[in-house]
Amino acid sequence: MIDQLPPLREVIEHHGIAAKKSLGQNFLLDLNLTAKIARLAGDLSNADILEIGPGPGGLTRGLLAEGARRVVAIEKDPRCMAALAEIAAAYPGRLETINGDALQIDPYAHLSQPIKIAANLPYNVGTELLVRWLTPEHWPPFWESLTLMFQREVAQRIVAQPGNKAYGRLAVLAQWRATPQIVLDLPPEAFSPPPKVSSAVVHITALPAPRFEANANTLSKVVAAGFNQRRKMLRSALKSLSPEIEDHLIAAGIKPTERAEQIPIEGFCALARSLDHAKS
Ligand code: SAM
């Protein structure tokens, strides 16, 4: 037992939180597992944790039981709020809940540094938020680390290396200014109801500075264009970015006939710098 609160099955039953597909609800019911995921987020005692999509509160309870200084949790489903209020009462002053859409809410005003982010989110919301967290103009970002549940296939895309089929936009953005690692694999049966595919927890630590210099916006555009047409040679996949794209590719040390999948992050950064240099 990680706390004195009722088991999650009882909480879900009591508050009528039957899982809704439309909200991507696959709940973790094993509190030993959620405490383990909380530990994967690192030392929580000196940090505020931003949790997105707490649902009935399995991971929230794990984070609090593992000593999080404070948790700020944003949940879209109003049915979960009463269950979350019971957790807040059991941990006075340490849990703030916000009912709303994490894609619309700026939680920054509710948090104090240092900040870590933890979430078990539906796939589409998770990827959208991950890209936002990885692409601010200035670095380091407002967060120190991200501990996020993804479909296993998405987790593999985040940690993929050049030359691998999974290497793409997510890998470049996650590895340019941060270090991602798959830290836990979970079978479908870990969730209720079980999803169709396996999941994995990815832990991403922000680096103090980017590995290679580049403008985040330009790099995002280069990578999006390059991997949108990943079978094409870069000189044609990136044509829309500049009429002199071949010159820029050569200046960046990239053969214009190569494909995005072969290019290390350093090459994309050099290309972004060359494009920006030509504009200024
Ligand atoms: N964290 C809980 C757990 O591990 O059992 C719930 C995980 S469930 C996969 C995803 C949760 O995210 C659900 O509670 C769902 O209502 C919530 N959610 C979905 N879209 C959201 C959004 N845009 N903003 C905030 N929460 C969202």
Side-chain angles (χ1 to χ4, degrees):
M1 274 232 293
I2 67 163
D3 59 31
Q4 302 303 313
L5 290 156
L8 283 158
R9 271 185 209 288
E10 261 175 50
V11 172
I12 288 169
E13 172 95 33
H14 178 71
H15 292 283
I17 318 176
K20 276 192 191 170
K21 233 185 171 163
S22 60
L23 284 166
Q25 292 181 334
N26 301 94
F27 300 132
L28 291 167
L29 301 185
D30 177 352
L31 289 163
N32 290 315
L33 178 58
T34 63
K36 182 174 178 182
I37 296 170
R39 287 195 294 278
L40 294 171
D43 180 13
L44 307 175
S45 61
N46 271 322
D48 275 13
I49 314 300
L50 172 61
E51 188 193 354
I52 313 286
L59 182 56
T60 321
R61 286 165 64 175
L63 291 163
L64 289 162
E66 289 299 321
R69 178 176 74 189
R70 267 184 83 240
V71 177
V72 173
I74 304 178
E75 171 56 57
K76 193 169 176 183
D77 185 351
R79 298 177 308 160
C80 298
M81 300 321 283
L84 294 169
E86 287 174 5
I87 305 172
Y91 290 94
R94 289 175 58 200
L95 173 61
E96 179 181 343
T97 58
I98 301 170
N99 184 201
D101 183 344
L103 295 169
Q104 310 292 337
I105 291 172
D106 178 2
Y108 194 67
H110 300 262
L111 295 157
S112 310
Q113 292 286 351
I115 297 161
K116 296 183 181 207
I117 299 180
N120 171 19
L121 274 171
Y123 156 70
N124 53 344
V125 183
T127 312
E128 162 85 38
L129 284 171
L130 173 65
V131 170
R132 285 192 203 178
W133 290 326
L134 291 172
T135 51
E137 190 181 341
H138 300 291
W139 204 261
F142 76 91
W143 51 269
E144 236 175 36
S145 69
L146 312 171
T147 307
L148 309 172
M149 183 84 70
F150 285 104
Q151 294 183 4
R152 195 168 155 64
E153 175 249 322
V154 177
Q156 281 165 336
R157 277 166 37 203
I158 295 170
V159 302
Q161 297 298 308
N164 188 299
K165 264 205 317 247
Y167 182 66
R169 184 173 77 118
L170 283 183
V172 174
L173 296 180
Q175 297 171 37
W176 171 42
R177 302 190 284 191
T179 306
Q181 228 188 323
I182 294 180
V183 288
L184 185 67
D185 285 311
L186 289 170
E189 309 78 63
F191 301 85
S192 172
K196 289 204 176 72
V197 294
S198 295
S199 300
V201 176
V202 183
H203 184 68
I204 302 177
T205 320
L207 291 168
R211 287 181 210 279
F212 312 103
E213 201 189 308
N215 174 279
N217 191 26
T218 314
L219 181 65
S220 293
K221 280 191 193 145
V222 167
V223 173
F227 286 104
N228 260 343
Q229 306 185 59
R230 56 189 300 142
R231 282 162 192 282
K232 284 199 178 167
M233 293 178 192
L234 285 168
R235 69 175 174 215
S236 87
L238 300 180
K239 217 165 40 194
S240 63
L241 295 179
S242 161
E244 283 92 39
I245 194 63
E246 291 220 27
D247 295 344
H248 289 295
L249 284 162
I250 291 162
I254 299 170
K255 279 200 215 112
T257 51
E258 283 197 286
R259 289 168 177 83
E261 204 170 295
Q262 306 301 328
I263 309 302
I265 296 168
E266 188 173 7
F268 286 117
C269 290
L271 181 58
R273 289 199 303 274
S274 176
L275 286 162
D276 281 339
H277 186 71
K279 271 192 225 143
S280 61

